[in-house]
Each structure stands twice: as C-alpha cells, then as structure tokens.
Amino acid sequence: MTTQTDPASASPTTERRSTGAGTDQRAVTARRRPRRRTTGSIKQVGLFVALLLGSLIMLLPLAWVALSSLKAPEEILQLPVKWLPDNFFNFSNYVQLFAQYDFGRYIVNSFVVTGIGIVTSLVIALLGAYAFAYFTFPFKEPLFLVVLALFMVPQEALVIPMYLMISGAGLTNTYVGLAFPDLFTVLGLYLLRQFMEGIPYSYVEAARVDGASDLRILIRIITPMVAPAIVVFIIIKFMFTWNTFLWPMLVAQNESMYTVTVGLVNFAGGEFNQWNLINAATMISMIPTIILFITLQRYLVKGVAMSGMK
C-alpha cells in the first residue's frame, strides 16, 4: 500500500534545503559572470590598443608629408631629422605651386578625366549588369566568365596596343585619350550584377506587365535599389583613376594636359628634388579623395554591409 505525501505537509527543513541549494547555485553563477565580463573587457581593450597602434603607424607618413609641406627646403634636408616646421603658417610652398607652376590646370585635368571615366564606366556597367541579371541568352554564364577574366590581365600588358589605337585615332593630348582605359571597368559590372541578383525578379516582371520598358525599369526601379553599390563603385573608381600615372604620362605629351600625378614629376629633377613642393602637391592631391570618402562614408558602409549579407 503506497502512502502519498501531501505537498502542503512538507517539512520546513526540506524547504530550507531546497531554497539554500538554489541560493548557492545563483551565487556560483553570479561569481562566474564577472569573470566572463572581465575577460571580454580585456579582449576589447587589447583590440582597441592594437587598432590604435595600427592607425598611428599608418598616419605617421601622412603626418610627415603634411608637416614637411610647411617647411623650407633646408628644413626638410636637415640632419638630425626635424619633425616640426619652424613656421606652422608657412604656406609659400602652396602659393608657389599655383604661381610658378600651373598646378590648378593639372587638378582640372584630373577632375575631367576622372569624371569621364566614372560616368561612362558606370553607364556601361549598369546596362551590362542589368542584361546579365535579368535577361536569358545563349552562353550567358561563359560570356560573363570571359568578362571576369579581364581582371587577370594587368593594364601594363595592354598599354602598347591601346596607345597604338589612341595614336592612330589622333586622340593623344585629349581628354578622351586620357580617359580611354577607364571607359569600361569590369569591377563595376561584377559589383552591380551581384547586387541586382539580390533584388527579386518579381519587381521587374511586375513593371514589364504594367508596360514599362527595360530602360525605364533600370532607371526608375533598379538603380535606386543598387545605390549603395554605385557609391562603392564611384569611390573605388575615383581613387584608381585619380591616382593613375602610367597612361597619362604616355598620352599627355603637352604640359597643358598633365594630370596631378604626372604634374608631380615636374618637381623631381635628375640631381635635386623639390621635396617641399612635392609634399605640398601631394597634400593637395589627397584632398578630393578625402572629401569624397567623408561625404559618401555612410553609403559606403551600407554598401559593404549589404554585400556581406549576400
């Protein structure tokens, strides 16, 4: 015969034991939590210190160039090395760039060439990416792989045939000739196509049912959706085109068509380099890229985050 125990008649000792066991368990858990938090805090501090040191190492050359742009020539060549200039308001090097040299013309040329390259390559990339993402045609994937294979061909290997084409067409010393290698970029086609494939095809299908043309669908629907990818492409394209040196040096045979990178060569001689002017010109050449990055930083982070989610 089994005897049932009434829960209400449980002894107080048993309740105290169970309560005490629960209290001990919570105490053990409470003692463990600070250790985990302390370990996580140490890791975060270590990561912060490592990133801070890395940032300082990367900013050290930039600080040297910025300070040297305010120095006189004898200060830069002084030994032992002198970091700080005698006069922090010595802007004579910057004034000399625009007074003695036509550096303003170089900046204008760089902006025009970079603008042509960005606009043409972006338009071609949008059209090509839309075709590869939303159209079906024979040999679609093999053709896309062939286009991607152009990534493996360095620009230096194409310099001679491209120069023969530009020279034969009489486009040397022209903006079109300077921007010729940047009229199409494989990176833009690949980047935009990957983003477009993440957009549901139902949007395009519904627009076609409503009678919209493919060009209107691309401009009014698809382009706003891939805006973060476009911003990423513009920043990358701007940096590469703005800083290119080999092709403008070959095509710009007249000083009036020099870009900023080619114009920097004017301050370097066979026996003496004008380091004060080189540093000042370098600082000026970095300003457009820095402004562009700061202005579009929010869209750049969003575009990178979206690409990581795919």
Side-chain angles (χ1 to χ4, degrees), residues 80-140:
V81 176
K82 184 178 180 180
W83 273 85
L84 301 179
D86 293 334
N87 182 11
F88 282 93
F89 299 96
N90 178 26
F91 298 104
S92 59
N93 296 328
Y94 294 93
V95 174
Q96 187 177 354
L97 285 176
F98 295 95
Q100 184 176 348
Y101 299 90
D102 197 6
F103 200 76
R105 179 69 179 181
Y106 304 158
I107 295 176
V108 172
N109 293 339
S110 293
F111 271 115
V112 173
V113 173
T114 305
I116 294 174
I118 290 176
V119 172
T120 56
S121 59
L122 180 59
V123 171
I124 295 174
L126 282 171
L127 295 174
Y130 183 82
F132 277 110
Y134 299 113
F135 281 88
T136 302
F137 49 88
F139 307 106
K140 173 182 174 180

Side-chain angles (χ1 to χ4, degrees), residues 3-297:
T3 303
Q4 296 181 353
T5 303
D6 187 3
S9 63
S11 63
T13 305
T14 305
E15 292 181 358
R16 285 196 297 270
R17 287 178 181 176
S18 60
T19 305
T23 304
D24 294 340
Q25 183 66 28
R26 288 193 296 269
V28 172
T29 304
R31 286 197 299 270
R32 290 178 180 176
R33 287 176 180 173
R35 294 180 182 177
R36 295 178 180 177
R37 293 178 181 177
T38 304
T39 304
S41 301
I42 294 175
K43 291 182 179 180
Q44 291 179 355
V45 172
L47 179 61
F48 176 78
V49 172
L51 292 175
L52 181 61
L53 292 176
S55 301
L56 292 176
I57 293 174
M58 295 180 63
L59 291 175
L60 191 62
L62 179 61
W64 169 259
V65 173
L67 293 173
S68 298
S69 66
L70 302 174
K71 297 178 181 178
E74 58 273 10
E75 293 182 68
I76 298 177
L77 302 177
Q78 182 178 346
L79 292 177
V81 176
K82 184 178 180 180
W83 273 85
L84 301 179
D86 293 334
N87 182 11
F88 282 93
F89 299 96
N90 178 26
F91 298 104
S92 59
N93 296 328
Y94 294 93
V95 174
Q96 187 177 354
L97 285 176
F98 295 95
Q100 184 176 348
Y101 299 90
D102 197 6
F103 200 76
R105 179 69 179 181
Y106 304 158
I107 295 176
V108 172
N109 293 339
S110 293
F111 271 115
V112 173
V113 173
T114 305
I116 294 174
I118 290 176
V119 172
T120 56
S121 59
L122 180 59
V123 171
I124 295 174
L126 282 171
L127 295 174
Y130 183 82
F132 277 110
Y134 299 113
F135 281 88
T136 302
F137 49 88
F139 307 106
K140 173 182 174 180
E141 293 302 326
L143 181 60
F144 186 70
L145 293 177
V146 171
V147 174
L148 292 182
L150 295 175
F151 265 132
M152 296 181 288
V153 181
Q155 185 179 1
E156 291 77 8
L158 304 175
V159 165
I160 294 178
M162 286 193 302
Y163 180 78
L164 293 177
M165 293 172 58
I166 293 300
S167 179
L171 295 177
T172 56
N173 285 317
T174 62
Y175 289 126
V176 176
L178 288 171
F180 181 74
D182 298 307
L183 297 180
F184 168 73
T185 304
V186 180
L187 175 63
L189 176 61
Y190 173 76
L191 183 64
L192 294 177
R193 190 229 187 186
Q194 295 302 110
F195 267 74
M196 288 182 185
E197 286 187 341
I199 299 175
Y201 181 73
S202 57
Y203 292 155
V204 178
E205 190 175 17
R208 288 175 177 172
V209 170
D210 291 339
S213 63
D214 287 304
L215 183 60
R216 186 175 183 181
I217 295 172
L218 174 61
I219 296 175
R220 300 292 298 274
I221 300 176
I222 302 300
T223 299
M225 291 184 176
V226 298
I230 293 176
V231 171
V232 173
F233 170 70
I234 289 175
I235 293 176
I236 297 175
K237 183 67 175 179
F238 184 91
M239 289 190 299
F240 275 95
T241 307
W242 183 269
N243 296 321
T244 187
F245 171 72
L246 178 60
W247 180 256
M249 184 183 63
L250 295 176
V251 177
Q253 301 174 357
N254 191 343
E255 187 175 352
S256 62
M257 296 301 298
Y258 282 0
T259 59
V260 171
T261 54
V262 180
L264 286 171
V265 181
N266 287 339
F267 311 126
E271 299 179 358
F272 177 73
N273 294 329
Q274 303 181 68
W275 292 112
N276 57 327
L277 299 181
I278 291 176
N279 291 321
T282 302
M283 290 301 301
I284 293 177
S285 66
M286 289 189 297
I287 291 176
T289 305
I290 295 174
I291 293 176
L292 180 68
F293 181 80
I294 294 176
T295 304
L296 302 178
Q297 182 181 11

